[in-house]
Amino acid sequence: MEIRRLTGVIGAELLDIDISRNLGADEVAAIRRALLDHQVIFFRDQDLTPEKHIAFAQCFGEISMTPVYHTLPDYPQIMPVVKEPTDKDVIGDTWHTDETYHPTPPLGSILYGREVPEVGGDTLWCNLYRAYDTLSDALKRQLEGMRAVHSNNFLSANSQARNATRSTKLREDVGVIDSVHPVVRTHEETGRKCLFVNHPFTYAFEGMTREESLPLLQYLYQHSAKPENTCRFRWRKGSMAFWDNRCTMHYAINDYPGERRAMHRITIQGSVPR
Ligand code: SIN
């Protein structure tokens, strides 16, 4: 397996590996190592049935079910991420980390491209270790020990309106899901510190109002997503992205009006952020 980096700071393609096979323990360990080293890894030209996608994901942990979106009727482990040619909107077109409103946000997400537009529909990722590392020592000291409230309210408060313009459907029966997480997270496998706040789901710093919190939160979001902290992936049919949801944010670009894009997403159970 060859590893080809996309940038000097995040992202790598893993070449010469067919992930539809039963992978050996050494191959699983090498893929996990690449994920930890590069934060998001990519595979090309994979031919995956839902069963094979599920089997691949299970090599890295237990599958977690999305608490807010509808899943495939026959595969509750898989969330379809679809934009029809007539849809105006997509999910994920703001920098975010998946499901941080959950007490145990996913360890990672595995997105498989089944149908992609000829051009457009790329996804961006940013490196939240580097976002933390490049803060001033004074701001690092200020953030140390701070916690933030994360909520699904951004999605669920407007679920009907959101469902009207996009094919990836929110469940309309979901109540509020809130969790409090550290603003600086220590990754449980690498031991490295990273920022752990994101625009749609972080509501406020614990003990502060949203108005008091927003100026610093907004600074942290724009600092995290500076272009030199990101990579951009151009999808092809059969491409797969596997990101470490503990130390990245991502952004799905809605720039392919009138075209179809259809993906399958599986998330892997995470643990309580520390
Ligand atoms: C997501 O935010 O999980 C979707 C990403 C994408 O569609 O590229």
Side-chain angles (χ1 to χ4, degrees), residues 1 17-29 31 43 46 52 55-57 59-60:
M1 186 174 75
I17 180 159
D18 171 5
I19 58 176
S20 69
R21 287 185 299 106
N22 285 335
L23 298 173
D26 53 340
E27 290 172 305
V28 172
I31 294 170
F43 303 86
Q46 302 294 323
K52 297 280 187 191
F56 176 75
C59 294
F60 301 95

Side-chain angles (χ1 to χ4, degrees), residues 69 79 81-82 90-94 96-98 109 111 121-125 168 233 235 241 243 245 250-253 256 261 263 265 267:
Y69 285 102
M79 171 184 157
V81 177
V82 177
V90 298
I91 69 152
D93 56 342
T94 179
H96 67 286
T97 300
D98 290 333
S109 302
L111 188 68
D122 296 358
T123 309
L124 308 171
W125 281 264
T168 307
F233 185 63
W235 292 91
W243 60 93
N245 195 56
H250 56 284
Y251 186 121
I253 304 176
Y256 48 103
R261 182 176 183 269
M263 324 290 276
R265 191 180 96 177
T267 47

Side-chain angles (χ1 to χ4, degrees), residues 97-98 105-109 185 196 243-248 250:
T97 300
D98 290 333
L107 173 157
S109 302
R185 177 176 189 172
F196 197 64
W243 60 93
D244 188 331
N245 195 56
R246 299 165 290 189
C247 57
T248 58
H250 56 284

Side-chain angles (χ1 to χ4, degrees), residues 11-260:
E13 274 192 42
L14 274 53
L15 309 176
D16 306 323
I17 180 159
D18 171 5
I19 58 176
S20 69
R21 287 185 299 106
N22 285 335
L23 298 173
D26 53 340
E27 290 172 305
V28 172
I31 294 170
R32 183 179 276 273
R33 186 68 255 160
L35 179 70
L36 296 176
D37 288 346
H38 301 287
Q39 297 83 52
V40 53
I41 52 178
F42 304 101
F43 303 86
R44 293 289 193 187
D45 305 319
Q46 302 294 323
D47 188 7
L48 292 184
T49 58
E51 289 82 3
K52 297 280 187 191
H53 189 180
I54 290 168
F56 176 75
Q58 284 171 332
C59 294
F60 301 95
E62 199 180 314
I63 291 175
S64 61
M65 314 289 173
T66 161
V68 297
Y69 285 102
H70 283 283
T71 54
L72 291 180
D74 295 336
Y75 300 96
Q77 304 95 325
I78 297 180
M79 171 184 157
V81 177
V82 177
K83 180 174 186 281
E84 295 295 351
T86 49
D87 287 347
K88 180 168 160 288
D89 292 315
V90 298
I91 69 152
D93 56 342
T94 179
W95 281 105
H96 67 286
T97 300
D98 290 333
E99 300 174 18
T100 61
Y101 44 82
H102 202 279
T104 56
L107 173 157
S109 302
I110 304 179
L111 188 68
Y112 177 58
R114 293 166 56 85
E115 188 176 335
V116 300
E118 197 179 319
V119 291
D122 296 358
T123 309
L124 308 171
W125 281 264
C126 73
N127 178 338
L128 294 176
Y129 292 130
R130 193 171 143 89
Y132 174 78
D133 290 343
T134 52
L135 293 173
S136 66
D137 288 343
L139 186 49
K140 284 182 187 159
R141 278 195 299 276
Q142 184 183 333
L143 296 176
E144 203 61 50
M146 284 176 72
R147 290 157 60 81
V149 179
H150 296 241
S151 168
N152 67 334
N153 198 46
F154 175 85
L155 297 174
S156 299
N158 297 310
S159 54
Q160 279 184 344
R162 291 185 188 282
N163 283 346
T165 59
R166 56 191 200 188
S167 293
T168 307
K169 299 294 185 196
L170 284 161
R171 287 171 41 189
E172 292 182 11
D173 58 344
V174 177
V176 174
I177 310 172
D178 274 349
S179 297
V180 180
H181 299 307
V183 171
V184 177
R185 177 176 189 172
T186 303
H187 192 289
E188 56 265 42
E189 289 183 81
T190 64
R192 293 181 65 190
K193 288 183 179 178
C194 58
L195 280 180
F196 197 64
V197 286
N198 68 99
H199 159 69
F201 304 134
T202 306
Y203 182 76
F205 294 116
E206 187 179 44
M208 290 170 65
T209 66
R210 183 159 168 79
E211 289 66 32
E212 288 169 336
S213 306
L214 277 178
L216 180 52
L217 284 173
Q218 272 159 355
Y219 172 74
L220 296 176
Y221 302 151
Q222 64 88 14
H223 170 80
S224 299
K226 280 184 187 159
E228 52 272 25
N229 196 24
T230 68
C231 70
R232 177 171 182 147
F233 185 63
R234 172 150 299 176
W235 292 91
R236 297 198 303 253
K237 180 177 160 55
S239 301
M240 173 174 275
F242 182 1
W243 60 93
D244 188 331
N245 195 56
R246 299 165 290 189
C247 57
T248 58
M249 293 195 289
H250 56 284
Y251 186 121
I253 304 176
N254 183 8
D255 61 352
Y256 48 103
E259 290 202 64
R260 186 167 201 269

